[in-house]
Amino acid sequence: MSIPPGSGWWTGLPPAAGAAAMAPGIISVGLHLTGHEPSSILALVLAVALWLVLAADFTARLLGDRGRFRAEADTPAALTAVAATAVIGTRLSMLGWQTVAAALLALAAALWPGLLLNVVRHWGRRMPGVAFLGCVATQGLAVLAATLADAADGHDWLARAALAAFCLGLVLYVAALLRFDLREVVGGAGDHWVAGGALSICALAGSKLTASPVWTGSAHTALLDVTLAVLALSLAWYVVLLTAELRHPRPRYDIRRWATVFPLGMTSVACLSVADPAGIAWLRPLGEVLLWIAVGAWLLTFAALLASHLNARPGSRRPPGPGTTAR
């Protein structure tokens, strides 16, 4: 990727860089759920800073380079804009910043239909893990809407909107799975982990809906059953993907490695969130263990990013930031 002279790494970032903001955002949620508030705030500050950089680049491209904007809006990675906004909005809602979180929900919801339609229209066969970002973005809306509905009385309509997004997200997951190239499990550059992470965010959305007083009786039971099923499948994916990573190591840095960290963090948060409404106590310690694995993965990915920058040849045009790739 060519960077104009005098420009920094923050200009011309590819859409996949959105996962770099999603990763610390969901880790912040996990640290909050486990009582590590100072570390959670630090991760949130990092996520917001990256989100602001990406938002500025997104806007500049929209206003100044329409051709590139339209081309990138057709790629599944463009949906990280929606997912990152929803994840940060969810964490801000947990802090009590409901007005800001609601504004982020409105922004994410405004971006979502156009980007999703563009992406779905350009779906192909044998796709990499980014194919599941349609599900992730949609479930991100469900999580944020359900979180806001729980934070304020008289917002049952938000809970119902969250349920609609939850159901659509499940449909999008199945559609993406039918197009996913299973060879990515042993050869993917990092985004193949979204195959499992997408189910984890489904489980997180399900846990938010299950905990809501809006759903009772058979509706509550059905939601709980679906939530437990998708969480079990996400944990199965976790085992498969981790085994493949250990048998087929891929140590070089690639921007798509941030799309590995996010599913690791999302799986831990899903376990932590499902534990109480499902009444399954052992999910909490499991979630805590998975959370620290996610934190370790974030640190390793960041170290690999720095190493790739330090080892770059003089005069290299590769940008020394989240957009750096190994290919």
Side-chain angles (χ1 to χ4, degrees):
M1 178 171 55
S2 177
I3 301 297
S7 297
W9 61 263
W10 55 87
T11 59
L13 292 171
M22 294 162 62
I26 196 61
I27 287 174
S28 176
V29 174
L31 291 169
H32 168 72
L33 293 175
T34 54
H36 298 86
E37 199 64 22
S39 298
S40 174
I41 296 298
L42 180 62
L44 175 61
V45 169
L46 177 59
V48 170
L50 289 170
W51 183 88
L52 289 172
V53 168
L54 293 165
D57 189 46
F58 181 94
T59 303
R61 201 171 305 162
L62 173 63
L63 298 177
D65 192 351
R66 292 289 184 90
R68 180 179 175 184
F69 178 85
R70 286 192 294 267
E72 292 184 341
D74 293 339
T75 64
L79 286 165
T80 59
V82 176
T85 302
V87 168
I88 291 172
T90 298
R91 180 65 185 95
L92 291 175
S93 178
M94 291 176 171
L95 280 175
W97 295 18
Q98 307 308 339
T99 301
V100 178
L104 291 177
L105 175 60
L107 175 60
L111 293 173
W112 170 74
L115 291 175
L116 181 64
L117 287 174
N118 280 340
V119 167
V120 170
R121 284 193 297 111
H122 291 85
W123 263 355
R125 297 188 178 187
R126 295 183 179 273
M127 295 186 67
V130 289
F132 294 98
L133 283 173
C135 169
V136 171
T138 305
Q139 295 291 4
L141 292 176
V143 171
L144 179 50
T147 301
L148 284 168
D150 184 57
D153 295 330
H155 286 70
D156 290 359
W157 66 273
L158 265 179
R160 293 186 173 87
L163 178 62
F166 174 71
C167 294
L168 177 58
L170 293 175
V171 173
L172 288 169
Y173 183 87
V174 174
L177 183 62
L178 294 175
R179 292 165 174 79
F180 179 54
D181 186 353
L182 289 174
R183 293 174 297 181
E184 290 286 304
V185 172
V186 297
D191 57 352
H192 55 292
W193 276 85
V194 186
L199 284 174
S200 296
I201 196 171
C202 291
L204 176 58
S207 73
K208 296 288 186 181
L209 291 167
T210 301
S212 171
V214 175
W215 316 111
T216 59
S218 60
H220 178 272
T221 301
L223 275 172
L224 180 58
D225 289 345
V226 172
T227 298
L228 291 175
V230 294
L231 179 60
L233 289 172
S234 74
L235 290 173
W237 263 116
Y238 194 109
V239 173
V240 170
L241 293 166
L242 181 59
T243 301
E245 291 280 356
L246 295 175
R247 295 192 63 180
H248 305 277
R250 285 148 271 183
R252 296 184 64 188
Y253 176 75
D254 190 289
I255 188 175
R256 288 163 288 188
R257 270 305 175 194
W258 295 109
T260 297
V261 180
F262 176 74
L264 291 174
M266 182 55 72
T267 304
S268 70
V269 169
C271 289
L272 293 168
S273 300
V274 171
D276 287 342
I280 304 177
W282 59 265
L283 282 176
R284 184 165 185 83
L286 174 61
E288 291 176 355
V289 171
L290 296 181
L291 174 62
W292 293 115
I293 291 175
V295 172
W298 188 93
L299 293 172
L300 286 173
T301 303
F302 184 69
L305 165 63
L306 293 180
S308 70
H309 171 46
L310 294 174
N311 294 333
R313 296 190 304 271
S316 171
R317 298 192 302 177
R318 185 170 56 190
T324 307
T325 65
R327 297 182 180 183

